């Protein structure tokens, strides 16, 4: 994999920020889009834009075909069946769908277990659904390296636990959870496993069977596809039993004045006009990643993660949160300089990073901070990008010194 | 595009490094705590009044250079003003005083002190009536 060739596929990387080359290190928030994806969306609108299903003209047949073929492609990507793939707006919507539709069938007093490292999207829906349905919400701790404390997790996995929800990869520390081990532990007690894969799918195909995930949620926009397209894999065993999440057109077989029968899965969960543009983009994004090869991507990420962790950690006054074993997502603080000041100052050097609590306030509480600065690398980031970041952090430290 | 050098110009950095009116006034008539939900920054504004005018003012809390220097600069303006005069201070006034242009990302930081002022006065007048 040649990074210079990959970079050439991403038009936005030619942009100058404050007169400097854009060093885009906010990939955990969203990835940039290759020309292939942008062209595919343009081509969709110029050639076969049409609302899918229930129409028999040529355009509708073509758009429906593109939509359903992508469903099949995504099924292959996660090793599920086509009818186990539900298109949503985002990871957040996927998780809300499970929280509200599945938990509705749980006995009062049942328990849900999440972890301290969850993004709010894999935390708040469960917390609130628990309040709504009269269930108990439990949170497993992380250890001093910000990894899941398996002992605490097992303690909190009680006979009443009905579902565990866990991130595949932390969006703050890049730490990769051992989902397989977590799922095996959960399965011993017949507990359903839901996984937030938002930070995992951009560098790896997923095998939901091997992982033991009953639900697996992710977003297209963090893997080169457009914003507004999300995926939920749900094991058919559960999807069949669940009520629709959004009510409306497309999810029904028959509607009478006083009664409605639901459509088959997955259509039962896809109410209203769907994001066909997003699905078309997602299809091309998956092809693009496969062409590079997930083994190459993983190797590249491993190398840059190790180097970035080592170099950022060794900077004066810099604290990096979490241990060294991770994806290339590195969050840190520079002395007592406010993370927003650091992030804004880095912009002067063309560096785009994120600052704040990264929608993971419970984890920030564990660290005892309000927020930090997060640099996240992807396939088009090279060592030069890291060098620019390192120099910019040092400049920021000097500038804000009191 | 963000003009970093303009944002962190000398006046801002000077107030960031040595903030004026930092601290808490005991038994202040106006005592308000405001939180910036964007970053969790906190500000506490305390003001002592005399004959309807601000006799003394202090702010406390933690935050970025922009919110801290904005609070430092603006509290200088609050002194000796009547509550009615303070209520007239607008978003534009604060930006003019700071002399910077900020994007949507940092506007909340700049205006944190103004929000604390407005809410503080509102609650004070409500309790007086």
């Amino acid at each position: 994999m040649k990074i210079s060739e990959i970079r050439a596929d991403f038009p936005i990387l030619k942009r100058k920020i404050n007169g400097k080359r854009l060093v885009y290190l906010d990939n955990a928030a969203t990835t940039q889009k290759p020309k292939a994806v942008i062209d595919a969306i343009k081509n969709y609108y110029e050639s076969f834009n049409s609302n899918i299903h229930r129409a028999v003209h040529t355009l509708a047949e073509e758009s429906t075909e593109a939509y359903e073929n992508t469903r099949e492609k995504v099924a292959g990507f996660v090793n599920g069946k086509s009818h186990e793939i539900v298109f949503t707006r985002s990871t957040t919507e996927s998780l809300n769908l499970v929280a509200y539709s599945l938990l509705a069938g749980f006995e009062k007093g049942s328990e849900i277990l999440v972890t301290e490292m969850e993004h709010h999207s894999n935390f708040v829906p469960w917390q609130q659904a628990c309040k709504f349905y009269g269930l108990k919400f439990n949170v497993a701790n992380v250890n001093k390296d910000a990894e899941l404390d398996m002992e605490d997790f097992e303690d909190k996995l009680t006979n009443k636990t009905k579902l565990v929800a866990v991130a595949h990869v932390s969006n703050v520390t890049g730490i990769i959870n051992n989902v397989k081990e977590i799922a095996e532990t959960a399965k011993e007690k017949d507990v359903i496993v839901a996984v937030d894969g938002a930070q995992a799918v951009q560098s790896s195909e997923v095998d939901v069977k091997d992982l033991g995930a009953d639900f697996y949620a992710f977003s297209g926009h963090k893997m080169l596809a457009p914003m507004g397209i999300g995926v939920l894999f749900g094991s058919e065993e559960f999807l069949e039993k669940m009520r629709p999440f959004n009510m409306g057109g497309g999810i029904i077989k028959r509607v009478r004045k006083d009664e409605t029968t639901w459509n088959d899965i997955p259509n039962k969960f896809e109410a209203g006009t769907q994001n066909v543009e997003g699905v078309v983009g997602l299809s091309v994004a998956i092809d693009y990643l496969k062409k590079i090869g997930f083994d190459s991507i993983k190797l590249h990420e491993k190398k840059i993660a190790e180097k970035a962790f080592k170099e950022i950690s060794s900077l004066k006054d810099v604290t990096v949160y979490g241990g060294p074993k991770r994806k290339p997502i590195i969050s840190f603080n520079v002395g007592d300089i406010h993370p927003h000041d650091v992030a804004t100052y880095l912009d002067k050097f063309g560096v785009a990073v994120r600052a704040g609590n990264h929608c993971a306030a419970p984890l920030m509480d564990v660290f005892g901070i309000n927020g930090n600065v997060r640099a996240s690398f992807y396939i088009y980031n090279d060592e030069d990008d890291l060098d620019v970041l390192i120099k910019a952090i040092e400049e920021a430290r000097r500038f804000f010194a009191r | 595009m963000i003009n970093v050098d303009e944002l962190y110009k000398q006046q801002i950095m000077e107030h960031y490094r040595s903030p004026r009116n930092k601290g808490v006034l005991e038994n202040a008539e106006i005592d308000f705590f405001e939180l910036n939900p964007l970053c969790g920054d906190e500000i506490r504004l305390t003001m002592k009044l005399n004959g309807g005018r601000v006799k003394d003012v202090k702010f406390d809390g933690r935050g970025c250079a922009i919110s801290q220097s904005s609070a430092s600069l603006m509290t200088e303006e609050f002194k000796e003003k009547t509550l009615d005069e303070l209520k007239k201070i607008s978003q534009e006034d604060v930006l003019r005083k700071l002399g910077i242009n900020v994007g949507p990302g940092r506007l909340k930081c700049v205006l944190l002190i103004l929000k604390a002022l407005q809410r503080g006065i509102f609650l004070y007048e409500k309790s007086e009536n």
Side-chain angles (χ1 to χ4, degrees), chain A residues 356-383:
Chain A
N357 66 23
H358 315 296
C359 292
L363 188 59
M364 294 297 129
D365 287 345
V366 173
F367 295 148
I369 54 177
N370 265 353
N372 60 25
V373 183
R374 181 184 71 185
S376 48
F377 299 75
Y378 198 39
I379 47 176
Y380 34 71
N381 296 120
D382 55 15
E383 293 185 3

PDB file of all heavy atoms in Angstrom, chain A residues 356-383:
ATOM      1  N   GLY A 356     -12.276  18.014  23.343  1.00  0.00           N
ATOM      2  CA  GLY A 356     -13.509  17.986  24.122  1.00  0.00           C
ATOM      3  C   GLY A 356     -13.613  16.672  24.855  1.00  0.00           C
ATOM      4  O   GLY A 356     -12.588  16.037  25.147  1.00  0.00           O
ATOM      5  N   ASN A 357     -14.839  16.258  25.137  1.00  0.00           N
ATOM      6  CA  ASN A 357     -14.985  14.983  25.869  1.00  0.00           C
ATOM      7  C   ASN A 357     -15.252  13.811  24.920  1.00  0.00           C
ATOM      8  O   ASN A 357     -15.415  12.679  25.359  1.00  0.00           O
ATOM      9  CB  ASN A 357     -16.047  15.085  26.960  1.00  0.00           C
ATOM     10  CG  ASN A 357     -17.455  15.302  26.396  1.00  0.00           C
ATOM     11  OD1 ASN A 357     -17.729  14.977  25.242  1.00  0.00           O
ATOM     12  ND2 ASN A 357     -18.338  15.833  27.207  1.00  0.00           N
ATOM     13  N   HIS A 358     -15.294  14.083  23.620  1.00  0.00           N
ATOM     14  CA  HIS A 358     -15.463  13.059  22.583  1.00  0.00           C
ATOM     15  C   HIS A 358     -16.699  12.197  22.829  1.00  0.00           C
ATOM     16  O   HIS A 358     -16.703  10.996  22.548  1.00  0.00           O
ATOM     17  CB  HIS A 358     -14.206  12.195  22.465  1.00  0.00           C
ATOM     18  CG  HIS A 358     -12.948  13.001  22.456  1.00  0.00           C
ATOM     19  ND1 HIS A 358     -12.658  13.882  21.447  1.00  0.00           N
ATOM     20  CD2 HIS A 358     -11.944  13.121  23.361  1.00  0.00           C
ATOM     21  CE1 HIS A 358     -11.515  14.489  21.718  1.00  0.00           C
ATOM     22  NE2 HIS A 358     -11.066  14.054  22.873  1.00  0.00           N
ATOM     23  N   CYS A 359     -17.751  12.822  23.366  1.00  0.00           N
ATOM     24  CA  CYS A 359     -18.997  12.099  23.666  1.00  0.00           C
ATOM     25  C   CYS A 359     -18.718  10.875  24.527  1.00  0.00           C
ATOM     26  O   CYS A 359     -19.309   9.808  24.317  1.00  0.00           O
ATOM     27  CB  CYS A 359     -19.725  11.694  22.387  1.00  0.00           C
ATOM     28  SG  CYS A 359     -20.368  13.079  21.482  1.00  0.00           S
ATOM     29  N   ALA A 360     -17.793  11.004  25.446  1.00  0.00           N
ATOM     30  CA  ALA A 360     -17.472   9.903  26.344  1.00  0.00           C
ATOM     31  C   ALA A 360     -17.239  10.467  27.740  1.00  0.00           C
ATOM     32  O   ALA A 360     -16.204  10.235  28.368  1.00  0.00           O
ATOM     33  CB  ALA A 360     -16.252   9.140  25.850  1.00  0.00           C
ATOM     34  N   ALA A 361     -18.230  11.217  28.237  1.00  0.00           N
ATOM     35  CA  ALA A 361     -18.089  11.890  29.530  1.00  0.00           C
ATOM     36  C   ALA A 361     -17.790  10.908  30.677  1.00  0.00           C
ATOM     37  O   ALA A 361     -16.954  11.216  31.528  1.00  0.00           O
ATOM     38  CB  ALA A 361     -19.336  12.728  29.824  1.00  0.00           C
ATOM     39  N   PRO A 362     -18.433   9.722  30.715  1.00  0.00           N
ATOM     40  CA  PRO A 362     -18.098   8.799  31.811  1.00  0.00           C
ATOM     41  C   PRO A 362     -16.607   8.422  31.837  1.00  0.00           C
ATOM     42  O   PRO A 362     -16.015   8.286  32.913  1.00  0.00           O
ATOM     43  CB  PRO A 362     -18.973   7.572  31.533  1.00  0.00           C
ATOM     44  CG  PRO A 362     -20.152   8.115  30.792  1.00  0.00           C
ATOM     45  CD  PRO A 362     -19.581   9.212  29.928  1.00  0.00           C
ATOM     46  N   LEU A 363     -15.993   8.287  30.669  1.00  0.00           N
ATOM     47  CA  LEU A 363     -14.562   7.956  30.631  1.00  0.00           C
ATOM     48  C   LEU A 363     -13.716   9.165  31.049  1.00  0.00           C
ATOM     49  O   LEU A 363     -12.694   9.012  31.733  1.00  0.00           O
ATOM     50  CB  LEU A 363     -14.160   7.467  29.228  1.00  0.00           C
ATOM     51  CG  LEU A 363     -12.741   6.915  29.094  1.00  0.00           C
ATOM     52  CD1 LEU A 363     -12.509   5.722  30.018  1.00  0.00           C
ATOM     53  CD2 LEU A 363     -12.435   6.513  27.654  1.00  0.00           C
ATOM     54  N   MET A 364     -14.151  10.362  30.678  1.00  0.00           N
ATOM     55  CA  MET A 364     -13.446  11.580  31.104  1.00  0.00           C
ATOM     56  C   MET A 364     -13.467  11.680  32.633  1.00  0.00           C
ATOM     57  O   MET A 364     -12.484  12.083  33.251  1.00  0.00           O
ATOM     58  CB  MET A 364     -14.093  12.832  30.497  1.00  0.00           C
ATOM     59  CG  MET A 364     -13.981  12.944  28.990  1.00  0.00           C
ATOM     60  SD  MET A 364     -12.285  13.086  28.385  1.00  0.00           S
ATOM     61  CE  MET A 364     -12.283  11.801  27.148  1.00  0.00           C
ATOM     62  N   ASP A 365     -14.597  11.285  33.229  1.00  0.00           N
ATOM     63  CA  ASP A 365     -14.691  11.289  34.693  1.00  0.00           C
ATOM     64  C   ASP A 365     -13.672  10.329  35.301  1.00  0.00           C
ATOM     65  O   ASP A 365     -13.065  10.635  36.328  1.00  0.00           O
ATOM     66  CB  ASP A 365     -16.105  10.887  35.150  1.00  0.00           C
ATOM     67  CG  ASP A 365     -17.115  11.999  34.905  1.00  0.00           C
ATOM     68  OD1 ASP A 365     -16.682  13.150  34.670  1.00  0.00           O
ATOM     69  OD2 ASP A 365     -18.331  11.725  34.936  1.00  0.00           O
ATOM     70  N   VAL A 366     -13.492   9.167  34.663  1.00  0.00           N
ATOM     71  CA  VAL A 366     -12.494   8.199  35.148  1.00  0.00           C
ATOM     72  C   VAL A 366     -11.102   8.845  35.102  1.00  0.00           C
ATOM     73  O   VAL A 366     -10.308   8.711  36.030  1.00  0.00           O
ATOM     74  CB  VAL A 366     -12.500   6.904  34.299  1.00  0.00           C
ATOM     75  CG1 VAL A 366     -11.347   5.982  34.691  1.00  0.00           C
ATOM     76  CG2 VAL A 366     -13.827   6.178  34.452  1.00  0.00           C
ATOM     77  N   PHE A 367     -10.817   9.567  34.013  1.00  0.00           N
ATOM     78  CA  PHE A 367      -9.516  10.225  33.878  1.00  0.00           C
ATOM     79  C   PHE A 367      -9.416  11.471  34.765  1.00  0.00           C
ATOM     80  O   PHE A 367      -8.333  12.025  34.943  1.00  0.00           O
ATOM     81  CB  PHE A 367      -9.265  10.648  32.420  1.00  0.00           C
ATOM     82  CG  PHE A 367      -9.151   9.509  31.435  1.00  0.00           C
ATOM     83  CD1 PHE A 367      -9.571   9.661  30.124  1.00  0.00           C
ATOM     84  CD2 PHE A 367      -8.612   8.280  31.813  1.00  0.00           C
ATOM     85  CE1 PHE A 367      -9.467   8.625  29.208  1.00  0.00           C
ATOM     86  CE2 PHE A 367      -8.502   7.236  30.906  1.00  0.00           C
ATOM     87  CZ  PHE A 367      -8.938   7.408  29.601  1.00  0.00           C
ATOM     88  N   GLY A 368     -10.542  11.925  35.285  1.00  0.00           N
ATOM     89  CA  GLY A 368     -10.557  13.125  36.117  1.00  0.00           C
ATOM     90  C   GLY A 368     -10.324  14.403  35.329  1.00  0.00           C
ATOM     91  O   GLY A 368      -9.705  15.349  35.811  1.00  0.00           O
ATOM     92  N   ILE A 369     -10.794  14.432  34.098  1.00  0.00           N
ATOM     93  CA  ILE A 369     -10.612  15.624  33.252  1.00  0.00           C
ATOM     94  C   ILE A 369     -11.941  15.995  32.594  1.00  0.00           C
ATOM     95  O   ILE A 369     -12.874  15.202  32.574  1.00  0.00           O
ATOM     96  CB  ILE A 369      -9.554  15.384  32.140  1.00  0.00           C
ATOM     97  CG1 ILE A 369      -9.902  14.124  31.315  1.00  0.00           C
ATOM     98  CG2 ILE A 369      -8.162  15.262  32.735  1.00  0.00           C
ATOM     99  CD1 ILE A 369      -8.970  13.852  30.152  1.00  0.00           C
ATOM    100  N   ASN A 370     -11.992  17.228  32.076  1.00  0.00           N
ATOM    101  CA  ASN A 370     -13.183  17.666  31.345  1.00  0.00           C
ATOM    102  C   ASN A 370     -13.124  17.253  29.886  1.00  0.00           C
ATOM    103  O   ASN A 370     -14.146  17.098  29.224  1.00  0.00           O
ATOM    104  CB  ASN A 370     -13.291  19.188  31.388  1.00  0.00           C
ATOM    105  CG  ASN A 370     -14.190  19.651  32.501  1.00  0.00           C
ATOM    106  OD1 ASN A 370     -14.834  18.838  33.163  1.00  0.00           O
ATOM    107  ND2 ASN A 370     -14.224  20.950  32.724  1.00  0.00           N
ATOM    108  N   GLY A 371     -11.902  17.150  29.391  1.00  0.00           N
ATOM    109  CA  GLY A 371     -11.744  16.810  27.989  1.00  0.00           C
ATOM    110  C   GLY A 371     -10.279  16.670  27.640  1.00  0.00           C
ATOM    111  O   GLY A 371      -9.403  16.883  28.488  1.00  0.00           O
ATOM    112  N   ASN A 372     -10.013  16.309  26.399  1.00  0.00           N
ATOM    113  CA  ASN A 372      -8.631  16.259  25.935  1.00  0.00           C
ATOM    114  C   ASN A 372      -8.590  16.455  24.421  1.00  0.00           C
ATOM    115  O   ASN A 372      -9.615  16.716  23.788  1.00  0.00           O
ATOM    116  CB  ASN A 372      -7.932  14.965  26.394  1.00  0.00           C
ATOM    117  CG  ASN A 372      -8.600  13.700  25.881  1.00  0.00           C
ATOM    118  OD1 ASN A 372      -9.280  13.703  24.854  1.00  0.00           O
ATOM    119  ND2 ASN A 372      -8.415  12.612  26.612  1.00  0.00           N
ATOM    120  N   VAL A 373      -7.388  16.369  23.881  1.00  0.00           N
ATOM    121  CA  VAL A 373      -7.200  16.559  22.452  1.00  0.00           C
ATOM    122  C   VAL A 373      -7.042  15.173  21.840  1.00  0.00           C
ATOM    123  O   VAL A 373      -6.373  14.319  22.412  1.00  0.00           O
ATOM    124  CB  VAL A 373      -5.909  17.368  22.178  1.00  0.00           C
ATOM    125  CG1 VAL A 373      -5.748  17.637  20.686  1.00  0.00           C
ATOM    126  CG2 VAL A 373      -5.911  18.663  22.967  1.00  0.00           C
ATOM    127  N   ARG A 374      -7.683  14.941  20.712  1.00  0.00           N
ATOM    128  CA  ARG A 374      -7.596  13.612  20.108  1.00  0.00           C
ATOM    129  C   ARG A 374      -7.081  13.689  18.671  1.00  0.00           C
ATOM    130  O   ARG A 374      -7.655  14.388  17.839  1.00  0.00           O
ATOM    131  CB  ARG A 374      -8.974  12.946  20.105  1.00  0.00           C
ATOM    132  CG  ARG A 374      -8.966  11.545  19.502  1.00  0.00           C
ATOM    133  CD  ARG A 374     -10.360  10.961  19.436  1.00  0.00           C
ATOM    134  NE  ARG A 374     -11.167  11.621  18.413  1.00  0.00           N
ATOM    135  CZ  ARG A 374     -12.458  11.373  18.209  1.00  0.00           C
ATOM    136  NH1 ARG A 374     -13.101  10.515  18.983  1.00  0.00           N
ATOM    137  NH2 ARG A 374     -13.129  12.002  17.270  1.00  0.00           N
ATOM    138  N   ALA A 375      -6.009  12.958  18.414  1.00  0.00           N
ATOM    139  CA  ALA A 375      -5.496  12.826  17.045  1.00  0.00           C
ATOM    140  C   ALA A 375      -5.782  11.404  16.591  1.00  0.00           C
ATOM    141  O   ALA A 375      -5.428  10.448  17.274  1.00  0.00           O
ATOM    142  CB  ALA A 375      -3.996  13.096  17.013  1.00  0.00           C
ATOM    143  N   SER A 376      -6.449  11.266  15.452  1.00  0.00           N
ATOM    144  CA  SER A 376      -6.764   9.928  14.957  1.00  0.00           C
ATOM    145  C   SER A 376      -6.332   9.812  13.498  1.00  0.00           C
ATOM    146  O   SER A 376      -6.647  10.671  12.683  1.00  0.00           O
ATOM    147  CB  SER A 376      -8.253   9.638  15.128  1.00  0.00           C
ATOM    148  OG  SER A 376      -9.039  10.706  14.641  1.00  0.00           O
ATOM    149  N   PHE A 377      -5.574   8.767  13.213  1.00  0.00           N
ATOM    150  CA  PHE A 377      -4.926   8.587  11.910  1.00  0.00           C
ATOM    151  C   PHE A 377      -5.684   7.569  11.061  1.00  0.00           C
ATOM    152  O   PHE A 377      -6.339   6.679  11.579  1.00  0.00           O
ATOM    153  CB  PHE A 377      -3.490   8.088  12.106  1.00  0.00           C
ATOM    154  CG  PHE A 377      -2.608   9.035  12.873  1.00  0.00           C
ATOM    155  CD1 PHE A 377      -2.743   9.172  14.258  1.00  0.00           C
ATOM    156  CD2 PHE A 377      -1.636   9.782  12.225  1.00  0.00           C
ATOM    157  CE1 PHE A 377      -1.930  10.039  14.971  1.00  0.00           C
ATOM    158  CE2 PHE A 377      -0.813  10.655  12.935  1.00  0.00           C
ATOM    159  CZ  PHE A 377      -0.970  10.780  14.303  1.00  0.00           C
ATOM    160  N   TYR A 378      -5.499   7.701   9.736  1.00  0.00           N
ATOM    161  CA  TYR A 378      -6.119   6.716   8.847  1.00  0.00           C
ATOM    162  C   TYR A 378      -5.196   6.417   7.666  1.00  0.00           C
ATOM    163  O   TYR A 378      -4.020   6.770   7.678  1.00  0.00           O
ATOM    164  CB  TYR A 378      -7.511   7.211   8.416  1.00  0.00           C
ATOM    165  CG  TYR A 378      -8.389   6.109   7.864  1.00  0.00           C
ATOM    166  CD1 TYR A 378      -8.388   4.839   8.440  1.00  0.00           C
ATOM    167  CD2 TYR A 378      -9.206   6.341   6.755  1.00  0.00           C
ATOM    168  CE1 TYR A 378      -9.183   3.834   7.912  1.00  0.00           C
ATOM    169  CE2 TYR A 378     -10.008   5.339   6.241  1.00  0.00           C
ATOM    170  CZ  TYR A 378      -9.986   4.085   6.815  1.00  0.00           C
ATOM    171  OH  TYR A 378     -10.780   3.083   6.297  1.00  0.00           O
ATOM    172  N   ILE A 379      -5.752   5.778   6.658  1.00  0.00           N
ATOM    173  CA  ILE A 379      -4.924   5.233   5.569  1.00  0.00           C
ATOM    174  C   ILE A 379      -4.110   6.273   4.803  1.00  0.00           C
ATOM    175  O   ILE A 379      -3.094   5.947   4.223  1.00  0.00           O
ATOM    176  CB  ILE A 379      -5.774   4.432   4.551  1.00  0.00           C
ATOM    177  CG1 ILE A 379      -7.036   5.214   4.170  1.00  0.00           C
ATOM    178  CG2 ILE A 379      -6.160   3.078   5.129  1.00  0.00           C
ATOM    179  CD1 ILE A 379      -7.892   4.544   3.094  1.00  0.00           C
ATOM    180  N   TYR A 380      -4.594   7.529   4.797  1.00  0.00           N
ATOM    181  CA  TYR A 380      -3.874   8.558   4.027  1.00  0.00           C
ATOM    182  C   TYR A 380      -2.908   9.361   4.891  1.00  0.00           C
ATOM    183  O   TYR A 380      -2.320  10.320   4.421  1.00  0.00           O
ATOM    184  CB  TYR A 380      -4.857   9.492   3.314  1.00  0.00           C
ATOM    185  CG  TYR A 380      -6.139   9.733   4.085  1.00  0.00           C
ATOM    186  CD1 TYR A 380      -6.154  10.495   5.237  1.00  0.00           C
ATOM    187  CD2 TYR A 380      -7.340   9.153   3.660  1.00  0.00           C
ATOM    188  CE1 TYR A 380      -7.325  10.697   5.946  1.00  0.00           C
ATOM    189  CE2 TYR A 380      -8.515   9.335   4.370  1.00  0.00           C
ATOM    190  CZ  TYR A 380      -8.502  10.112   5.515  1.00  0.00           C
ATOM    191  OH  TYR A 380      -9.665  10.297   6.221  1.00  0.00           O
ATOM    192  N   ASN A 381      -2.790   9.003   6.160  1.00  0.00           N
ATOM    193  CA  ASN A 381      -1.856   9.719   7.029  1.00  0.00           C
ATOM    194  C   ASN A 381      -0.513   8.997   7.062  1.00  0.00           C
ATOM    195  O   ASN A 381      -0.468   7.779   7.215  1.00  0.00           O
ATOM    196  CB  ASN A 381      -2.398   9.808   8.455  1.00  0.00           C
ATOM    197  CG  ASN A 381      -3.664  10.626   8.542  1.00  0.00           C
ATOM    198  OD1 ASN A 381      -4.707  10.135   8.955  1.00  0.00           O
ATOM    199  ND2 ASN A 381      -3.588  11.880   8.119  1.00  0.00           N
ATOM    200  N   ASP A 382       0.541   9.788   6.920  1.00  0.00           N
ATOM    201  CA  ASP A 382       1.871   9.182   6.943  1.00  0.00           C
ATOM    202  C   ASP A 382       2.718   9.788   8.066  1.00  0.00           C
ATOM    203  O   ASP A 382       2.228  10.562   8.880  1.00  0.00           O
ATOM    204  CB  ASP A 382       2.554   9.350   5.587  1.00  0.00           C
ATOM    205  CG  ASP A 382       2.598  10.797   5.154  1.00  0.00           C
ATOM    206  OD1 ASP A 382       2.363  11.674   6.012  1.00  0.00           O
ATOM    207  OD2 ASP A 382       2.855  11.061   3.968  1.00  0.00           O
ATOM    208  N   GLU A 383       3.982   9.411   8.071  1.00  0.00           N
ATOM    209  CA  GLU A 383       4.866   9.892   9.134  1.00  0.00           C
ATOM    210  C   GLU A 383       5.073  11.403   9.063  1.00  0.00           C
ATOM    211  O   GLU A 383       5.328  12.033  10.087  1.00  0.00           O
ATOM    212  CB  GLU A 383       6.194   9.142   9.082  1.00  0.00           C
ATOM    213  CG  GLU A 383       5.988   7.674   9.444  1.00  0.00           C
ATOM    214  CD  GLU A 383       7.289   6.895   9.522  1.00  0.00           C
ATOM    215  OE1 GLU A 383       8.363   7.503   9.351  1.00  0.00           O
ATOM    216  OE2 GLU A 383       7.218   5.678   9.753  1.00  0.00           O
TER     217      GLU A 383
END
